[in-house]
Amino acid sequence: MNLIIDVGNTRIKIAVFNNAEIIHNEIITTEEFYLKTLKLLEMYSCKNAILSSVGNLKKSQINELNSKINLIQLNYISKIPFENCYKTPKTLGVDRIALVSSAASQFPNKNVLIIDAGTCITYDFINEKGCYLGGAISPGIKMRYQSLHQFTKKLPLLETKQPEGLIGGSTEECIHSGVVNGVINEIDSNIESYRKKNKDLTIVLTGGDVNFLSNRLKNGIFANPNFLLQGLNTILTYNL
């Protein structure tokens, strides 16, 4: 049994894998981290764990976990199942490393575009030769709502909502249309650009907003909310 820990910008996801199958998966807070992970270690007799963190996790919490289990902390020098052709590998986020590892494992010898719609929207491309080339980073949905409110004097801060149409008839409707339709058009446009340059392109959509966005995007996309967790499990198994 493998324990998988993904510390993101806004939440922590933990999962237990039996080989390649997820048998437990939940979202927890930083305050719950140690007790929850300790409980899972005992419940499933986990022997190995991997930690991917782009958020804030206390070093003491990591050290406590490391004393209980064989823990791998993912970083840019970790052993990975693809060739990293990124120009600045030291700056490549561990979340993106995990996503590309998942693509390399699940879609070998394929051109794959991974779109992670979370706090930020990231685009990551690995070619059919197993070489990761890079991608793009743009603001996520909630970040766009927050920026409209933060950098103006009168626009309200709204919760994410599907717009009723293209043309907003009120200020709130205009914000929903601008944010959500803007994200949809951005993603669709990027997909089309990648498809023009890469034959037989496989597209994976993941991240916290995957369910909100998947029905609005064009066909031919694999929606998988656990793609990053699967990538971390791949890396952990690759390093054992």
Side-chain angles (χ1 to χ4, degrees), residues 3-211:
L3 177 64
I4 311 300
I5 306 162
D6 169 32
V7 183
N9 289 299
T10 57
R11 60 183 183 172
I12 299 175
K13 295 180 73 174
I14 55 176
V16 176
F17 277 73
N18 182 10
N19 295 319
E21 180 185 359
I22 298 178
I23 59 176
H24 183 94
N25 185 8
E26 66 178 303
I27 297 172
I28 62 172
T29 65
T30 303
E31 292 73 22
E32 297 174 310
F33 175 78
Y34 182 67
L35 291 179
K36 284 281 189 178
T37 51
L38 188 62
K39 181 179 179 180
L40 291 180
L41 293 182
E42 296 174 351
M43 183 182 301
Y44 294 101
S45 299
C46 298
K47 302 298 182 183
N48 302 290
I50 187 168
L51 170 67
S52 165
S53 178
V54 297
N56 295 319
L57 197 63
K58 293 180 181 178
K59 189 174 182 179
S60 59
Q61 293 176 306
I62 299 174
N63 291 337
E64 288 174 348
L65 180 62
N66 195 26
S67 68
K68 302 289 184 181
I69 193 171
N70 175 37
L71 177 66
I72 292 176
Q73 297 183 54
L74 182 59
N75 57 47
Y76 75 96
I77 62 172
S78 297
K79 185 180 176 183
I80 50 177
F82 64 89
E83 182 182 358
N84 191 350
C85 302
Y86 202 55
K87 292 180 180 179
T88 56
K90 290 183 180 181
T91 68
L92 183 60
V94 288
D95 52 342
R96 299 174 74 187
I97 292 174
L99 291 170
V100 178
S101 295
S102 193
S105 172
Q106 297 188 43
F107 303 102
N109 306 314
K110 299 283 187 181
N111 292 315
V112 186
L113 174 64
I114 311 113
I115 304 167
D116 184 6
T119 302
C120 294
I121 300 173
T122 60
Y123 302 82
D124 290 293
F125 178 73
I126 180 172
N127 66 22
E128 60 188 0
K129 297 179 181 179
C131 180
Y132 170 67
L133 300 177
I137 304 173
S138 72
I141 292 178
K142 289 185 178 180
M143 191 182 296
R144 298 183 195 213
Y145 277 110
Q146 290 168 349
S147 66
L148 287 174
H149 173 67
Q150 182 177 346
F151 293 104
T152 64
K153 293 183 178 180
K154 294 185 177 181
L155 293 181
L157 178 60
L158 304 179
E159 293 295 323
T160 304
K161 179 183 177 182
Q162 290 285 3
E164 296 180 5
L166 178 62
I167 301 175
S170 67
T171 298
E172 290 193 2
E173 290 178 359
C174 286
I175 293 173
H176 290 307
S177 178
V179 170
V180 178
N181 288 326
V183 168
I184 295 297
N185 290 330
E186 174 195 305
I187 293 175
D188 278 335
S189 177
N190 272 301
I191 289 173
E192 288 305 312
S193 295
Y194 273 89
R195 277 181 170 155
K196 288 178 182 178
K197 294 183 178 181
N198 303 279
K199 63 179 182 179
D200 301 324
L201 182 66
T202 298
I203 302 155
V204 179
L205 177 67
T206 189
D209 289 323
V210 59
N211 293 327

